[in-house]
């Protein structure tokens, strides 16, 4: 859009660019800057327009984008252009991801590189390598407390190791996802050190206060994120002699985005990692980016404007790079991280589908799909060119983040239902075979979340300890059932390393004083590659899980209607144990797949006449794309199928 104020500012800025920048070939850069500058200017002005140094900061912003554009490697620029021409590339069903810690997966980045064949064996073509930037030895929050945004943690490897890994991944067509921890730094980061030494410029990078007055006012409306280990949202820093805002752990200092210098620094870091070859950047804790007194300091309007600005700027320098929003918040809030008042995503293209994840865990515990159906019915529709990251487990705890109104509609009382889930997963409920641990227990309000590996949460640990074959089978079926839903739902399925092998809880974290108080470490496994060989040995647990997932992934990639174009319709059926939805083609209406998942351990019937516009079909005409065979009919009734306990179908009309 052409608009005079921003245009004349842009002219001014371009005239003032340092000569070493203006001498370069910036053709593509100028085209994109011209296209995006109106948006960039209006966002930057809304956030920082009141400041005397606004113009100088705007110049710095453009210089930062230009400088990073100049250092963008040619082959990445080429990829940018390819992706611009094929801008829906990431919505394809051919993408399947896995998140992993390089240390736990294979020791370090070189180890990951040696195991790239493993990804291909399973069918993984997106690898999210969890934080690898430099962080303190002890207080690191698993790498989410960064002390240097441009160096790697030597335990993970060197920048050369990363470059070699990124190259090999590219050669194998595996996308690289890296984290940029945008919300906070470690208290050992240079900026924090300078702030501690009394430098006011760097104190303004954070929220620091001389007295408790302002922190106390903030606290009135801010919830606690880690109430057990790090209560409150502020920490007294002895050396600085001031309070500093620390929403997560007391060693993670929240960055102050109301200071444009912080925004520009972080944008520079985002572009730096884009230039190191990351295809996708996971922006951590984005719901927290903007703090406003009197609010929860989550999901603020300005947090969205900040992300939009990051996106618009990244599109100028590295348009092929996508953002993942890590915003584990209520569904109505979550959806806004794609952007608001827009048709096409304008913030982050990808967001964690935390609602779906939590609902799946509800279905496993209750053994029915009542709340799952209710929650999915109310899941807002995404924008175009936006997609979910669908996952069962990740490195974090499971929060029971569904709406109370949905719990009520499903026929439960919210408080007691949440208590049931916590008790169930921590093994405190009669007959529960789950072996999870509580996380983030809040004594003040009774809240808690859940830690535990997928296999341990679905009863595999219990079953193996008891040497109980039937329970073992049920646990394996549940693992597969959960994956069948994330692979078909629409979006990028993100597996969590170890789950494909049935990794159980790893209690060794309790011996490490830096980890002992954080139960999330229980589900951050260290892969035993000797034992992983069992995936090739018929009859083993590893084989049953791995080989089935491998097949499911391969089949998913063949099913075009599994690509994510908001082409899913929930089908409300009368049987409460079943979760049923349709995936359809927008171009070829005849192409559609009926996904059916049974959360009960007993076989359940699905009556096609209750299955929306599938009524009139006969099951004998349908084929399950996963197994290649027809589903079992109920007493030869052509319109009623039997879904085995913990079974799933991907049904399609025979052609
Ligand atoms: C392929 C590549 C991906 C590229 C896209 C562009 O899927 O793997 O890197 O950006 O095509 O069309
Ligand atoms: C994100 C990470 C989590 C971390 C937190 C603070 O939520 O996923 O592991 O503790 O941010 O950085």
């Amino acid at each position: 859009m052409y608009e005079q104020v921003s245009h004349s500012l842009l002219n001014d800025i371009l005239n003032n660019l340092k000569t070493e920048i203006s001498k370069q070939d910036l053709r593509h850069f100028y085209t994109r800057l011209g296209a995006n500058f109106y948006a960039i200017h209006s966002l930057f002005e809304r956030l920082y327009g009141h400041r005397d140094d606004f113009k100088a900061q705007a110049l710095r912003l453009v210089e930062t984008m230009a400088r990073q554009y100049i250092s963008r490697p040619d082959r990445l620029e080429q990829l940018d252009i390819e992706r611009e021409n094929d801008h829906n590339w990431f919505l394809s069903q051919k993408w399947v991801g896995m998140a992993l810690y390089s240390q736990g997966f294979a020791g370090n980045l070189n180890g990951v590189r040696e195991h790239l064949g493993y990804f291909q064996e399973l069918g993984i073509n997106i690898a999210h390598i969890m934080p690898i930037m430099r962080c303190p030895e002890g207080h690191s929050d698993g790498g989410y407390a960064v002390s240097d945004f441009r160096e790697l943690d030597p335990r993970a490897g060197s920048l050369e190791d990363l470059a070699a890994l990124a190259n090999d991944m590219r050669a194998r067509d595996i996308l690289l996802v890296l984290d940029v921890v945008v919300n906070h730094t470690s208290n050992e980061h240079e900026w924090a050190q300078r702030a501690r030494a009394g430098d006011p410029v760097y104190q303004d990078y954070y929220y620091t206060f001389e007295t408790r007055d302002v922190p106390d006012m903030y606290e009135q409306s801010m919830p606690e994120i880690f109430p057990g280990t790090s209560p409150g949202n502020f920490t007294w820093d002895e050396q600085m002699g001031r309070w500093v805002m620390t929403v997560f752990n007391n060693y993670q200092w929240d960055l102050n985005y109301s200071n444009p210098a912080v925004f520009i620094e972080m944008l520079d870091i985002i572009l730096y990692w884009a230039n190191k070859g990351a295809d996708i950047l996971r922006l951590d804790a984005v719901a927290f980016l903007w703090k406003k007194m009197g609010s929860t300091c989550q999901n603020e309007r300005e947090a969205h404007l900040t992300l939009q600005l990051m996106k618009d700027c990244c599109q100028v320098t590295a348009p092929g790079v996508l953002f993942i929003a890590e915003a584990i918040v209520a569904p109505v809030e979550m959806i806004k991280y794609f952007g608001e008042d827009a048709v096409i995503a304008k913030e982050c293209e990808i967001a964690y589908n935390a609602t779906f994840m939590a609902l799946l865990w509800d279905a496993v515990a209750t053994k029915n799909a009542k709340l799952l159906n209710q929650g999915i019915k109310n899941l807002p529709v995404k924008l175009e060119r936006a997609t979910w990251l669908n996952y069962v487990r990740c490195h974090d705890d499971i929060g029971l983040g569904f709406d109370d109104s949905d719990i009520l509609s499903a026929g439960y009382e919210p408080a007691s239902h949440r208590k049931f889930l916590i008790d169930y997963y921590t093994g405190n409920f009669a007959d529960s075979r789950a072996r999870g641990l509580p996380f983030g227990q809040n004594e003040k309000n009774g809240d808690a979340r859940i830690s535990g590996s997928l296999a341990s949460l679905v009863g595999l640990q219990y079953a193996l300890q008891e040497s109980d074959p039937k329970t073992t089978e049920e646990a394996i079926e549940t693992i597969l059932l959960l994956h069948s839903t994330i692979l078909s739902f629409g979006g990028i399925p993100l597996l969590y390393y170890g789950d494909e092998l049935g990794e159980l809880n790893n209690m060794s974290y309790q011996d490490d004083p830096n980890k002992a108080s954080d139960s999330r470490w229980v589900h951050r496994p260290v892969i035993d590659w000797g034992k992983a060989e069992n995936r090739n040995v018929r009859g083993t647990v590893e084989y049953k899980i791995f080989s089935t997932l491998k097949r499911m992934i391969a089949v998913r990639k063949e099913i075009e209607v599994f690509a994510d174009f908001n082409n899913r319709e929930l089908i409300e059926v009368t049987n409460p144990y079943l979760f049923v939805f349709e995936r359809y083609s927008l171009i070829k209406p005849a192409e559609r797949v009926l996904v059916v998942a049974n959360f009960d351990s007993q076989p359940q019937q699905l009556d096609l006449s209750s299955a929306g516009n599938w009524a009139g079909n006969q099951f004998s005409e349908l084929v399950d794309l996963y197994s290649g065979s027809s589903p079992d009919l109920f007493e030869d009734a052509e319109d009623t199928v039997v879904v085995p306990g913990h079974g799933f179908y991907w049904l399609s009309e025979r052609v």
Side-chain angles (χ1 to χ4, degrees):
M1 172 169 168
Y2 177 77
E3 182 272 336
Q4 307 223 327
V5 178
S6 64
H7 191 73
S8 76
L9 175 67
L10 181 58
N11 277 335
D12 253 18
I13 289 178
L14 296 182
N15 289 332
N16 282 309
L17 278 185
K18 301 220 163 62
T19 35
E20 87 262 15
I21 296 182
S22 54
K23 274 196 299 204
Q24 305 275 336
D25 171 14
L26 297 177
R27 196 163 43 102
H28 289 298
F29 176 78
Y30 284 144
T31 314
R32 293 177 189 138
L33 184 64
N36 269 17
F37 196 72
Y38 172 69
I40 292 176
H41 174 258
S42 35
L43 289 163
F44 203 66
E45 196 188 21
R46 274 194 66 180
L47 293 169
Y48 309 115
H50 58 281
R51 295 176 55 112
D52 295 340
D53 62 350
F54 173 73
K55 238 175 140 175
Q57 297 287 1
L59 173 63
R60 276 190 57 209
L61 181 72
V62 174
E63 269 179 4
T64 302
M65 288 187 268
R67 211 174 275 122
Q68 291 290 7
Y69 176 76
I70 292 164
S71 52
R72 187 146 177 85
D74 288 346
R75 59 188 165 72
L76 296 182
E77 261 189 71
Q78 196 47 46
L79 199 63
D80 288 335
I81 293 166
E82 282 168 33
R83 289 181 180 170
E84 279 177 327
N85 292 335
D86 178 19
H87 54 269
N88 282 336
W89 63 273
F90 60 98
L91 304 178
S92 160
Q93 78 287 356
K94 74 173 186 173
W95 299 115
V96 179
M98 177 181 276
L100 56 101
Y101 281 103
S102 61
Q103 248 180 321
F105 183 71
N108 54 27
L109 293 175
N110 285 332
V112 176
R113 198 170 148 214
E114 282 159 22
H115 285 88
L116 290 180
Y118 180 75
F119 294 138
Q120 290 183 303
E121 186 187 335
L122 184 58
I124 299 296
N125 49 20
I126 300 182
H128 170 204
I129 301 184
M130 310 264 300
I132 45 175
M133 291 172 208
R134 191 169 292 232
C135 61
E137 280 277 322
H139 288 157
S140 73
D141 190 21
Y144 286 103
V146 176
S147 54
D148 188 331
F149 283 110
R150 288 187 176 77
E151 288 293 334
L152 291 196
D153 178 350
R155 290 167 288 190
S158 63
L159 285 170
E160 290 70 40
D161 297 340
L162 179 67
L165 174 64
N167 267 332
D168 282 10
M169 286 176 66
R170 179 105 37 225
R172 291 175 189 251
D173 256 331
I174 303 174
L175 303 184
L176 173 64
V177 186
L178 293 179
D179 281 84
V180 180
V181 186
V182 284
N183 179 65
H184 44 258
T185 75
S186 152
N187 59 355
E188 294 186 22
H189 190 283
E190 188 195 337
W191 303 334
Q193 296 296 347
R194 291 194 182 195
R196 288 172 130 175
D199 186 339
V201 170
Y202 287 94
Q203 287 182 353
D204 197 29
Y205 271 43
Y206 301 97
Y207 295 91
T208 75
F209 306 96
E210 212 175 318
T211 65
R212 252 329 280 193
D213 302 346
V214 178
D216 282 343
M217 288 188 259
Y218 269 110
E219 287 287 13
Q220 286 174 8
S221 53
M222 287 175 85
E224 293 175 290
I225 307 302
F226 294 152
T229 47
S230 182
N233 290 287
F234 293 85
T235 301
W236 174 253
D237 188 78
E238 201 54 61
Q239 192 189 337
M240 184 164 62
R242 293 173 77 87
W243 291 93
V244 58
M245 187 183 282
T246 54
V247 169
F248 292 90
N249 287 297
N250 54 21
Y251 52 81
Q252 287 166 306
W253 289 21
D254 284 71
L255 285 165
N256 170 14
Y257 278 88
S258 71
N259 177 355
V262 167
F263 178 87
I264 295 168
E265 295 263 23
M266 295 313 289
L267 175 69
D268 198 26
I269 288 160
I270 286 174
L271 298 176
Y272 173 87
W273 289 104
N275 285 350
K276 290 277 177 244
D279 297 283
I280 305 179
L281 293 170
R282 174 192 183 274
L283 305 184
D284 182 62
V286 288
F288 297 84
L289 286 187
W290 199 272
K291 317 299 199 272
K292 196 182 282 171
M293 204 182 281
S295 77
T296 58
C297 297
Q298 291 181 39
N299 308 313
E300 284 301 312
R301 177 83 187 128
E302 289 83 350
H304 289 286
L305 301 180
T306 306
L307 286 166
Q308 282 169 26
L309 186 57
M310 281 177 180
K311 182 77 262 180
D312 281 332
C313 294
C314 186
Q315 273 170 349
V316 173
T317 302
V321 172
L322 307 179
F323 287 170
I324 300 176
E326 193 254 346
I328 312 302
V329 293
V332 286
E333 295 297 340
M334 201 166 73
I335 202 88
K336 295 182 191 161
Y337 289 89
F338 296 121
E340 265 188 295
D341 318 322
V343 178
I344 298 171
K346 61 172 184 182
E347 246 173 83
C348 296
E349 293 89 349
I350 309 173
Y352 277 78
N353 196 348
T355 307
F356 186 36
M357 181 274 301
L359 289 166
L360 287 172
W361 286 103
D362 187 88
V364 170
T366 57
K367 303 181 174 53
N368 71 60
K370 284 194 271 182
L371 184 54
L372 174 58
N373 278 309
Q374 189 61 36
I376 294 302
K377 195 162 78 183
N378 291 334
L379 187 71
V381 178
K382 292 181 273 101
L383 300 182
E384 284 171 30
R385 207 172 169 273
T387 198
W388 292 120
L389 209 59
N390 293 313
Y391 62 113
V392 177
R393 281 305 282 122
C394 72
H395 69 293
D396 279 332
D397 46 293
I398 301 169
L400 308 176
F402 12 75
D403 280 348
D404 279 0
S405 58
D406 286 341
I407 305 185
L408 284 165
S409 306
Y412 311 113
E413 192 284 309
S416 59
H417 189 65
R418 286 173 200 278
K419 182 169 185 315
F420 154 73
L421 292 170
I422 302 288
D423 286 346
Y424 181 88
Y425 283 116
T426 52
N428 291 322
F429 187 78
D431 295 338
S432 164
R433 294 162 184 161
R435 290 293 175 266
L437 299 170
F439 176 80
Q441 271 172 310
N442 190 331
E443 315 243 302
K444 289 165 234 162
N445 59 15
D447 276 356
R449 283 115 76 185
I450 297 151
S451 288
S453 82
L454 165 62
S456 294
L457 290 175
V458 298
L460 187 60
Q461 182 172 326
Y462 163 88
L464 294 175
Q465 270 159 7
E466 301 289 315
S467 306
D468 177 344
K470 181 163 174 285
T471 316
T472 305
E473 282 311 311
E474 282 188 11
I476 293 173
E477 283 161 5
T478 308
I479 291 174
L480 299 172
L481 172 70
L482 290 167
H483 282 93
S484 79
T485 65
I486 62 163
L487 284 161
S488 56
F489 187 78
I492 301 172
L494 184 72
L495 280 68
Y496 183 61
Y497 81 116
D499 287 350
E500 78 288 6
L501 297 166
E503 279 288 335
L504 304 179
N505 283 347
N506 174 356
M507 299 307 287
S508 66
Y509 78 99
Q510 294 188 334
D511 304 327
D512 180 339
N514 283 314
K515 297 178 177 166
S517 60
D518 186 339
S519 67
R520 290 176 299 172
W521 286 100
V522 82
H523 54 256
R524 296 173 179 176
V526 176
I527 304 298
D528 173 345
W529 287 100
K531 191 158 170 277
E533 281 300 320
N534 278 344
R535 71 185 184 279
N536 299 313
V537 181
R538 268 175 199 282
T540 61
V541 168
E542 290 85 352
Y543 176 85
K544 288 181 191 166
I545 301 174
F546 191 93
S547 63
T548 311
L549 285 180
K550 179 175 165 171
R551 184 177 164 86
M552 274 192 217
I553 290 171
V555 173
R556 163 191 157 90
K557 290 182 182 176
E558 299 287 306
I559 303 178
E560 280 180 24
V561 295
F562 281 2
D564 186 15
F565 291 94
N566 287 334
N567 48 337
R568 178 190 55 250
E569 190 174 318
L570 182 73
I571 297 190
E572 294 183 63
V573 294
T574 41
N575 187 328
Y577 301 100
L578 302 179
F579 177 46
V580 184
F581 57 86
E582 175 189 83
R583 300 298 316 278
Y584 55 90
S585 166
L586 297 171
I587 333 162
K588 301 175 225 158
E591 279 182 28
R592 51 184 191 159
V593 172
L594 187 69
V595 174
V596 183
N598 176 11
F599 282 87
D600 191 19
S601 55
Q602 301 302 314
Q604 290 295 333
Q605 294 170 33
L606 170 64
D607 170 4
L608 264 192
S609 62
S610 78
N613 50 15
W614 287 71
N617 255 295
Q618 300 207 322
F619 274 111
S620 54
E621 291 164 3
L622 301 182
V623 61
D624 171 30
L625 297 174
Y626 170 75
S627 63
S629 46
S630 293
D632 289 337
L633 300 181
F634 176 70
E635 294 183 341
D636 288 335
E638 292 277 338
D639 62 355
T640 307
V641 74
V642 179
V643 194
H646 297 134
F648 73 92
Y649 287 134
W650 292 346
L651 299 171
S652 155
E653 278 130 321
R654 276 183 202 282
V655 280

